[in-house]
Coordinates of all heavy atoms in Angstrom, one line a residue:
F28 N 10.2 2.2 10.4 CA 10.1 2.7 9.1 C 9.2 1.8 8.3 O 9.3 0.6 8.3 CB 11.5 2.8 8.4 CG 12.5 3.6 9.2 CD1 13.6 3.0 9.7 CD2 12.3 4.9 9.4 CE1 14.6 3.8 10.4 CE2 13.2 5.7 10.1 CZ 14.3 5.1 10.6
A29 N 8.3 2.4 7.5 CA 7.3 1.6 6.8 C 7.0 2.3 5.4 O 7.2 3.5 5.2 CB 6.0 1.5 7.6
W30 N 6.6 1.4 4.5 CA 6.1 1.9 3.2 C 4.5 1.9 3.2 O 3.9 1.1 3.9 CB 6.5 1.0 2.0 CG 7.9 0.9 1.8 CD1 8.8 1.9 1.5 CD2 8.7 -0.4 1.8 NE1 10.0 1.3 1.3 CE2 10.0 0.0 1.5 CE3 8.4 -1.7 2.0 CZ2 11.0 -1.0 1.4 CZ3 9.4 -2.6 1.9 CH2 10.7 -2.3 1.6
D31 N 4.0 2.7 2.4 CA 2.5 2.6 2.1 C 2.4 2.1 0.6 O 2.4 3.0 -0.3 CB 1.8 3.9 2.3 CG 0.3 3.8 2.1 OD1 -0.2 2.7 1.8 OD2 -0.3 4.9 2.2
P32 N 2.2 0.8 0.4 CA 2.0 0.3 -1.0 C 0.8 0.8 -1.7 O 0.6 0.6 -2.9 CB 2.1 -1.2 -0.8 CG 1.6 -1.4 0.6 CD 2.0 -0.3 1.4
G33 N -0.2 1.4 -0.9 CA -1.4 1.8 -1.5 C -1.3 3.1 -2.2 O -2.3 3.5 -3.0
E34 N -0.2 3.8 -2.0 CA -0.1 5.1 -2.7 C 1.3 5.3 -3.3 O 2.1 6.0 -2.8 CB -0.4 6.3 -1.7 CG -1.8 6.3 -1.2 CD -2.1 7.5 -0.3 OE1 -1.2 8.3 -0.1 OE2 -3.2 7.7 0.1
P35 N 1.6 4.5 -4.4 CA 2.9 4.6 -5.0 C 3.3 6.0 -5.4 O 2.4 6.8 -5.9 CB 2.9 3.6 -6.1 CG 1.4 3.5 -6.4 CD 0.7 3.7 -5.1
T36 N 4.5 6.4 -5.2 CA 5.0 7.7 -5.7 C 5.5 7.6 -7.1 O 5.7 8.7 -7.8 CB 6.1 8.2 -4.8 OG1 7.2 7.2 -4.7 CG2 5.6 8.5 -3.4
S37 N 5.7 6.4 -7.6 CA 6.2 6.2 -9.0 C 5.8 4.8 -9.4 O 5.8 3.9 -8.5 CB 7.7 6.4 -9.1 OG 8.2 5.9 -10.4
T38 N 5.4 4.6 -10.6 CA 5.1 3.2 -11.1 C 6.1 2.6 -12.0 O 6.2 1.4 -12.2 CB 3.7 3.2 -11.8 OG1 3.8 4.2 -12.9 CG2 2.6 3.6 -10.9
D39 N 7.0 3.4 -12.5 CA 8.1 2.9 -13.4 C 9.3 3.8 -13.2 O 9.5 4.8 -13.9 CB 7.6 2.9 -14.9 CG 8.7 2.2 -15.8 OD1 9.5 1.5 -15.2 OD2 8.6 2.4 -17.0
P40 N 10.2 3.4 -12.3 CA 10.2 2.2 -11.4 C 9.2 2.4 -10.3 O 8.9 3.5 -9.9 CB 11.7 2.1 -10.9 CG 12.1 3.5 -10.9 CD 11.5 4.2 -12.1
L41 N 8.8 1.2 -9.7 CA 7.8 1.3 -8.6 C 8.5 1.8 -7.4 O 9.5 1.2 -6.9 CB 7.3 -0.1 -8.4 CG 6.2 -0.3 -7.3 CD1 5.0 0.6 -7.6 CD2 5.9 -1.7 -7.1
E42 N 7.9 2.8 -6.7 CA 8.4 3.3 -5.5 C 7.2 3.7 -4.6 O 6.1 4.0 -5.1 CB 9.3 4.5 -5.7 CG 10.6 4.2 -6.4 CD 11.6 3.4 -5.5 OE1 11.4 3.3 -4.3 OE2 12.6 3.0 -6.0
Y43 N 7.4 3.6 -3.3 CA 6.4 3.9 -2.3 C 6.9 5.0 -1.4 O 8.1 5.1 -1.1 CB 6.0 2.7 -1.4 CG 5.5 1.5 -2.2 CD1 6.0 0.3 -1.9 CD2 4.5 1.6 -3.2 CE1 5.6 -0.9 -2.5 CE2 4.1 0.5 -3.9 CZ 4.7 -0.8 -3.5 OH 4.2 -1.9 -4.2
P44 N 6.0 5.8 -0.8 CA 6.4 6.8 0.2 C 6.9 6.1 1.5 O 6.3 5.0 1.8 CB 5.1 7.6 0.5 CG 4.0 6.7 0.1 CD 4.5 5.9 -1.0
V45 N 7.9 6.6 2.2 CA 8.4 6.0 3.4 C 8.0 6.8 4.6 O 8.1 8.1 4.6 CB 10.0 5.9 3.3 CG1 10.5 5.4 4.6 CG2 10.4 5.1 2.1
Y46 N 7.5 6.1 5.6 CA 7.0 6.8 6.8 C 7.8 6.4 8.0 O 8.3 5.3 8.1 CB 5.5 6.5 7.0 CG 4.6 7.1 6.0 CD1 4.3 6.5 4.8 CD2 4.0 8.4 6.3 CE1 3.5 7.1 3.9 CE2 3.1 8.9 5.3 CZ 2.9 8.3 4.1 OH 2.0 8.9 3.2
W47 N 7.8 7.3 9.0 CA 8.4 7.0 10.3 C 7.2 6.8 11.3 O 6.3 7.7 11.4 CB 9.3 8.1 10.8 CG 9.9 7.8 12.2 CD1 10.7 6.7 12.5 CD2 9.8 8.5 13.3 NE1 11.1 6.8 13.8 CE2 10.5 7.9 14.4 CE3 9.1 9.7 13.7 CZ2 10.6 8.4 15.7 CZ3 9.2 10.2 15.0 CH2 10.0 9.5 15.9
Y48 N 7.2 5.6 11.9 CA 6.1 5.3 12.8 C 6.6 5.1 14.2 O 7.1 4.1 14.6 CB 5.5 3.9 12.3 CG 4.2 3.5 13.0 CD1 3.0 3.5 12.3 CD2 4.2 3.1 14.3 CE1 1.8 3.1 12.9 CE2 3.0 2.7 14.9 CZ 1.8 2.7 14.2 OH 0.7 2.3 14.8
P49 N 6.5 6.2 15.0 CA 7.0 6.1 16.4 C 6.0 5.3 17.3 O 4.8 5.4 17.2 CB 7.0 7.6 16.8 CG 5.9 8.2 16.0 CD 5.9 7.5 14.7
R50 N 6.6 4.4 18.1 CA 5.7 3.6 18.9 C 5.2 4.3 20.1 O 4.4 3.7 20.8 CB 6.5 2.3 19.3 CG 6.9 1.4 18.1 CD 7.6 0.2 18.5 NE 6.9 -0.6 19.5 CZ 7.4 -1.7 20.0 NH1 8.6 -2.2 19.6 NH2 6.7 -2.4 20.9
S51 N 5.7 5.5 20.4 CA 5.2 6.2 21.6 C 4.5 7.5 21.3 O 4.3 8.3 22.1 CB 6.4 6.5 22.6 OG 7.4 7.3 21.9
D52 N 4.1 7.6 20.0 CA 3.5 8.8 19.6 C 2.4 8.5 18.5 O 2.7 7.7 17.6 CB 4.6 9.7 19.0 CG 4.1 11.2 18.8 OD1 3.0 11.4 18.2 OD2 4.8 12.1 19.3
P53 N 1.3 9.1 18.5 CA 0.3 8.8 17.5 C 0.5 9.5 16.2 O -0.2 9.2 15.2 CB -1.0 9.4 18.1 CG -0.6 10.5 19.0 CD 0.8 10.0 19.6
R54 N 1.6 10.3 16.1 CA 1.8 11.0 14.8 C 2.7 10.1 13.9 O 3.8 9.6 14.4 CB 2.5 12.3 15.1 CG 1.5 13.3 15.8 CD 2.3 14.5 16.3 NE 3.2 14.2 17.3 CZ 4.1 15.0 17.9 NH1 4.1 16.3 17.5 NH2 4.9 14.6 18.8
V55 N 2.3 10.0 12.6 CA 3.1 9.3 11.7 C 3.6 10.3 10.6 O 2.8 11.0 10.1 CB 2.3 8.2 11.0 CG1 3.1 7.4 10.0 CG2 1.7 7.2 12.0
Y56 N 4.9 10.3 10.4 CA 5.5 11.3 9.5 C 6.0 10.6 8.2 O 6.6 9.5 8.2 CB 6.7 11.9 10.2 CG 6.4 12.6 11.5 CD1 6.6 11.9 12.7 CD2 6.0 13.9 11.5 CE1 6.4 12.5 13.9 CE2 5.8 14.5 12.7 CZ 5.9 13.8 13.9 OH 5.7 14.5 15.1
Q57 N 5.8 11.3 7.1 CA 6.4 10.9 5.8 C 7.8 11.4 5.8 O 8.1 12.6 5.9 CB 5.6 11.4 4.6 CG 6.2 10.9 3.3 CD 5.4 11.2 2.1 OE1 4.2 11.5 2.2 NE2 6.0 11.2 0.9
L58 N 8.8 10.5 5.5 CA 10.2 10.9 5.4 C 10.7 11.1 4.0 O 11.6 11.9 3.8 CB 11.1 9.8 6.2 CG 10.8 9.6 7.6 CD1 11.7 8.5 8.1 CD2 11.0 10.9 8.4
A59 N 10.2 10.2 3.1 CA 10.8 10.2 1.8 C 9.8 9.7 0.8 O 8.8 9.1 1.1 CB 12.1 9.4 1.7
G60 N 10.1 10.0 -0.5 CA 9.2 9.5 -1.6 C 9.6 8.2 -2.2 O 8.9 7.5 -2.9
T61 N 10.9 7.8 -2.0 CA 11.5 6.6 -2.6 C 12.4 6.0 -1.6 O 12.8 6.6 -0.6 CB 12.3 6.9 -3.9 OG1 13.5 7.6 -3.5 CG2 11.5 7.7 -4.9
F62 N 12.8 4.7 -1.8 CA 13.8 4.1 -0.9 C 15.1 4.8 -0.9 O 15.8 4.9 0.1 CB 13.9 2.6 -1.3 CG 14.9 1.9 -0.3 CD1 14.5 1.5 1.0 CD2 16.2 1.6 -0.7 CE1 15.3 0.9 1.8 CE2 17.0 0.9 0.2 CZ 16.6 0.6 1.4
A63 N 15.6 5.2 -2.1 CA 16.9 5.9 -2.2 C 16.8 7.2 -1.4 O 17.8 7.6 -0.7 CB 17.2 6.2 -3.7
E64 N 15.7 7.9 -1.5 CA 15.6 9.1 -0.7 C 15.6 8.8 0.8 O 16.1 9.6 1.6 CB 14.3 9.8 -1.0 CG 14.3 10.5 -2.4 CD 12.9 11.1 -2.7 OE1 12.1 11.2 -1.8 OE2 12.8 11.6 -3.9
F65 N 15.1 7.7 1.2 CA 15.1 7.2 2.6 C 16.6 7.0 3.0 O 17.0 7.4 4.1 CB 14.3 6.0 2.8 CG 14.6 5.2 4.0 CD1 14.2 5.7 5.3 CD2 15.4 4.1 4.0 CE1 14.5 5.0 6.4 CE2 15.7 3.4 5.2 CZ 15.2 3.9 6.4
V66 N 17.4 6.3 2.2 CA 18.8 6.1 2.5 C 19.5 7.4 2.7 O 20.3 7.6 3.6 CB 19.4 5.2 1.4 CG1 20.9 5.1 1.7 CG2 18.8 3.9 1.4
A67 N 19.2 8.4 1.8 CA 19.8 9.7 1.9 C 19.4 10.4 3.2 O 20.2 11.1 3.9 CB 19.5 10.5 0.7
W68 N 18.1 10.2 3.6 CA 17.6 10.9 4.8 C 18.3 10.3 6.0 O 18.7 11.0 6.9 CB 16.1 10.6 4.9 CG 15.5 11.2 6.2 CD1 15.1 12.4 6.4 CD2 15.4 10.5 7.5 NE1 14.7 12.6 7.8 CE2 14.9 11.4 8.4 CE3 15.7 9.2 7.8 CZ2 14.6 11.0 9.7 CZ3 15.5 8.8 9.2 CH2 14.9 9.7 10.1
V69 N 18.4 8.9 6.1 CA 19.1 8.3 7.2 C 20.5 8.8 7.3 O 21.0 9.1 8.4 CB 19.1 6.7 6.9 CG1 20.2 6.1 7.7 CG2 17.8 6.1 7.2
D70 N 21.2 9.0 6.2 CA 22.6 9.5 6.3 C 22.6 10.9 6.8 O 23.4 11.2 7.7 CB 23.2 9.4 4.9 CG 24.6 9.9 4.8 OD1 25.5 9.3 5.6 OD2 25.0 10.8 4.1
A71 N 21.7 11.7 6.3 CA 21.7 13.1 6.8 C 21.3 13.2 8.2 O 21.8 14.1 9.0 CB 20.7 13.9 5.9
D72 N 20.4 12.4 8.7 CA 20.0 12.4 10.1 C 21.1 12.0 11.0 O 21.3 12.6 12.1 CB 18.8 11.4 10.3 CG 18.1 11.6 11.6 OD1 17.7 12.7 11.9 OD2 18.0 10.6 12.4
W73 N 21.9 11.0 10.6 CA 23.0 10.6 11.4 C 24.1 11.7 11.5 O 24.6 12.0 12.6 CB 23.7 9.3 10.8 CG 24.9 9.0 11.6 CD1 26.2 9.1 11.2 CD2 25.0 8.4 12.9 NE1 27.1 8.7 12.1 CE2 26.4 8.2 13.2 CE3 24.0 8.1 13.8 CZ2 26.8 7.7 14.4 CZ3 24.5 7.6 15.1 CH2 25.8 7.4 15.3
R74 N 24.3 12.3 10.4 CA 25.3 13.4 10.4 C 24.9 14.6 11.3 O 25.7 15.3 11.9 CB 25.6 13.9 9.0 CG 26.3 12.8 8.2 CD 26.4 13.2 6.7 NE 26.8 12.1 5.9 CZ 28.0 11.8 5.6 NH1 29.0 12.4 6.1 NH2 28.3 10.7 4.8

């Protein structure tokens, strides 16, 4: 899981888009627009 600090999704408060970077695949996916959205995504994915 990684952020891209070069393209913030919000400046106040500061947030970055969250990406999933698979080590066995050249495709990189955006999962969320903020860290809180990432936590919610993790929870939904587990369920």
Side-chain angles (χ1 to χ4, degrees):
F28 302 118
W30 297 302
D31 181 3
E34 296 188 356
T36 54
S37 170
T38 56
D39 187 19
L41 180 64
E42 294 288 349
Y43 304 132
V45 178
Y46 289 86
W47 182 59
Y48 189 111
R50 292 180 59 179
S51 59
D52 193 310
R54 293 168 295 178
V55 181
Y56 302 94
Q57 181 173 340
L58 299 179
T61 68
F62 181 75
E64 288 178 8
F65 163 74
V66 174
W68 177 89
V69 161
D70 182 57
D72 192 57
W73 175 254
R74 294 172 193 273

